Amino acid sequence: MKQIDVVALGELLVDFTPAGLTDRGATLLAHNAGGAPANVLAMLSILGKKTAFVGKVGQDSFGLFLKKTLVDSGIDIAGLTISKTEHTTLAFVSLDEKGNRSFDFYRANSADVMLRREEVPEELLAGCKLFHFGSVSMTAEPARDATLYAARRAKELGKLVSYDPNFRSALWAHRDEAIQAMLAGLAFADVVKVSDDEVELLTGCRDFSEGARSLVSGGAKLALVTAGEQGTWYASVSGIEGHIPSIKVDAVDTTGAGDTFLGALLSGLLDYGRDLEGIPEQKLRRIIRFANVAGALCATGRGAIASMPNREQILEQLEREAEG
């Protein structure tokens, strides 16, 4: 049985992001590997963790590019299915003046949506320490069934389960359907990360601290609400709660910043061990601060995986912040 630190399941796609203008003023687009679960694994791999991805891409040039990206990132692809009948999902990213992004997806009946539960390798779930998933793979069947099956099975096997209910309104036919599907994922989660845009959607709370506490009351052992430059609010089942400010950076592209944060956070939690209930407050705050810096540094470059910092860069930034 393979020994893997983290297995993640979900979407793997190509992000087309703005990359300047032609001489005639037309927008140039760069294609980058995307998909939140794969991004999380990439950051974990950078920090030295053994990772594996479960998902599906098309047997087209984009799918082969994504497969190579996973391999180059040190991510095990035993759970990657290459489809001969479905195309790889494409996403076109628009950025505002602050680097915040919006998405247009070309995804109907594409490969990642067509992942089936029988394509989820049992041996990967059995051999990992932590299973991670998101909600984008729950927007349609059969991937929704495959996602919830894998999360349930990981829980049954006694694994830590991490969940990112990543809301993309363009991917859901109805808002209520999205809420119900994302709430279904919470039933299996030990660690939950939501953004400032998602916390009220899932908890009804506008206050970030209250929202984090609500997620813990619902069953999570650790809940985090990320709010970009405002920092991160957190609450744990042991009663620890608080806020860690972010650092100021010149953001160019926030694509993947939240995934980078989560990858760095999970790496720190795995370094500590499985007992999330017993983690000391100062240790938890150091882990979150490290993750905040990782996410902020990612936003200073274009593309998610291409802009992820390594451990040395994160520690150097933390030292500069301490000196300042």
Side-chain angles (χ1 to χ4, degrees):
M1 182 183 298
K2 290 185 178 181
Q3 295 300 310
I4 299 290
D5 292 310
V6 181
V7 170
L9 178 150
E11 71 280 6
L12 180 62
L13 51 87
V14 173
D15 284 328
F16 285 91
T17 55
L21 302 173
T22 67
D23 293 340
R24 296 186 178 183
T27 300
L28 293 168
L29 296 174
H31 76 291
N32 296 290
N39 290 341
V40 171
L41 292 184
M43 187 63 212
L44 281 157
S45 292
I46 289 172
L47 294 174
K49 297 296 181 281
K50 295 181 179 179
T51 63
F53 178 78
V54 177
K56 185 185 285 190
V57 296
Q59 192 174 8
D60 48 36
S61 62
F62 297 120
L64 297 177
F65 161 72
L66 292 170
K67 176 182 177 181
K68 183 178 185 301
T69 300
L70 293 184
V71 172
D72 291 346
S73 299
I75 299 170
D76 189 301
I77 59 170
L80 179 66
T81 299
I82 309 295
S83 172
K84 296 180 180 180
T85 56
E86 293 104 14
H87 294 294
T88 302
T89 297
L90 306 179
F92 290 83
V93 183
S94 299
L95 302 173
D96 65 18
E97 63 278 1
K98 292 185 178 181
N100 295 315
R101 71 269 190 266
S102 58
F103 297 86
D104 291 298
F105 293 93
Y106 290 79
R107 191 171 180 243
N109 299 316
S110 61
D112 73 291
V113 177
M114 302 306 292
L115 181 72
R116 301 185 304 273
R117 69 160 66 188
E118 56 265 32
E119 295 170 319
V120 178
E122 173 82 7
E123 62 271 19
L124 286 180
L125 297 179
C128 73
K129 298 176 182 177
L130 184 148
F131 174 75
H132 173 70
F133 72 109
S135 63
V136 170
S137 56
M138 294 194 285
T139 56
E141 296 292 2
R144 182 184 302 182
D145 174 69
T147 301
L148 292 175
Y149 161 76
R152 184 183 305 109
R153 187 71 185 116
K155 195 74 171 179
E156 291 171 351
L157 290 167
K159 311 302 179 180
L160 282 175
V161 179
S162 165
Y163 178 42
D164 178 8
N166 195 1
F167 180 60
R168 295 283 180 263
S169 60
L171 294 177
W172 296 91
H174 303 286
R175 184 181 178 90
D176 289 344
E177 179 190 9
I179 294 172
Q180 291 306 310
M182 289 190 290
L183 289 174
L186 288 174
F188 308 106
D190 298 301
V191 179
V192 181
K193 183 203 81 74
V194 299
S195 72
D196 50 347
D197 296 327
E198 296 152 355
V199 61
E200 185 177 0
L201 192 71
L202 293 177
T203 68
C205 304
R206 293 186 177 181
D207 180 83
F208 297 158
S209 294
E210 185 181 352
R213 289 194 298 270
S214 177
L215 290 168
V216 170
S217 297
K221 293 180 180 178
L222 175 64
L224 306 108
V225 180
T226 57
E229 61 187 14
Q230 297 179 60
T232 302
W233 282 257
Y234 64 92
S236 81
V237 70
S238 62
I240 298 171
E241 63 178 80
H243 168 253
I244 305 292
S246 187
I247 62 171
K248 294 182 178 180
V249 296
D250 294 324
V252 174
D253 178 3
T254 59
T255 305
D259 304 327
T260 301
F261 166 90
L262 186 50
L265 176 92
L266 295 178
S267 177
L269 294 178
L270 286 171
D271 287 342
Y272 175 76
R274 291 179 48 83
D275 182 18
L276 298 183
E277 299 180 26
I279 187 169
E281 182 171 8
Q282 288 306 311
K283 176 64 175 179
L284 179 59
R285 289 181 64 86
R286 284 196 296 271
I287 291 172
I288 297 173
R289 185 174 291 109
F290 182 91
N292 272 355
V293 170
L297 291 178
C298 178
T300 63
R302 295 191 182 276
I305 295 176
S307 300
M308 290 178 176
N310 58 35
R311 186 181 300 275
E312 290 71 25
Q313 290 169 321
I314 299 169
L315 292 176
E316 287 173 4
Q317 183 64 47
L318 282 168
E319 289 181 6
R320 285 194 289 269
E321 294 297 315
E323 292 171 355

